[in-house]
Amino acid sequence: MKFQLFYWVIIGCMGLLSCEKNNRGQFEKDVQLMANLECEARQLKEERFNAANEIRFMEDSLAKHHLPLSPAQSQHIDSVKTVYTLRTGQLAEKITKTMDSLFAVSYKTTEQRQAFDAAIETKLLEVCK
């Protein structure tokens, strides 16, 4: 009888430790996923700002010489704006859906979310340079 009880205690402890290890592994995967998405968003933001600066520089240069935008230049600017608008919207939607999914399933409490956010910030230092 004592042997069976001891056996079941050992099995139970192993099961609990296994669950904790799996939860920690999933936490790390979730952190990596969100850090990658956040890094992608930051890089996209930089691209948008650089493109906007190039457009402003071109428009200022033309205005300095009292030249209007050509139809081709105007079309190019519009296409660049459209591409960045679509990419930004798609990435924002992806981030929102991912966060909603993670918060609904895994990170329900304020403490869990704060720990998750802190881990993401730490991971961002590694991932997004």
Side-chain angles (χ1 to χ4, degrees):
M1 178 74 175
K2 285 184 178 181
F3 181 72
Q4 283 183 334
L5 179 62
F6 178 74
Y7 178 74
W8 286 110
V9 168
I10 295 296
I11 296 291
C13 289
M14 288 174 55
L16 288 174
L17 290 174
S18 174
C19 288
E20 181 63 32
K21 186 177 181 182
N22 288 340
N23 288 342
R24 187 67 189 164
Q26 186 60 49
F27 179 81
E28 292 299 324
K29 288 179 185 177
D30 294 344
V31 166
Q32 183 70 48
L33 172 64
M34 288 307 300
N36 287 341
L37 289 173
E38 176 80 21
C39 186
E40 187 178 345
R42 290 179 182 188
Q43 290 170 344
L44 181 57
K45 180 181 175 183
E46 276 298 312
E47 285 181 40
R48 283 192 337 257
F49 281 132
N50 290 338
N53 284 336
E54 288 176 16
I55 291 169
R56 271 193 295 278
F57 179 74
M58 180 183 64
E59 290 174 335
D60 289 347
S61 295
L62 290 172
K64 185 177 182 181
H65 299 309
H66 305 291
L67 298 172
L69 281 173
S70 71
Q73 289 170 323
S74 183
Q75 184 179 7
H76 174 71
I77 290 170
D78 289 343
S79 70
V80 167
K81 288 179 183 179
T82 301
V83 166
Y84 280 117
T85 299
L86 288 173
R87 284 181 60 198
T88 301
Q90 289 169 345
L91 184 56
E93 185 176 337
K94 185 175 181 179
I95 290 170
T96 300
K97 285 182 178 181
T98 302
M99 286 178 62
D100 288 347
S101 170
L102 290 173
F103 287 172
V105 174
S106 301
Y107 310 103
K108 295 180 181 181
T109 68
T110 303
E111 294 80 19
Q112 289 173 326
R113 290 179 183 184
Q114 288 172 342
F116 186 59
D117 288 342
I120 291 169
E121 285 301 319
T122 301
K123 183 59 87 173
L124 271 170
L125 297 175
E126 298 172 22
V127 173
C128 200
K129 296 177 182 182

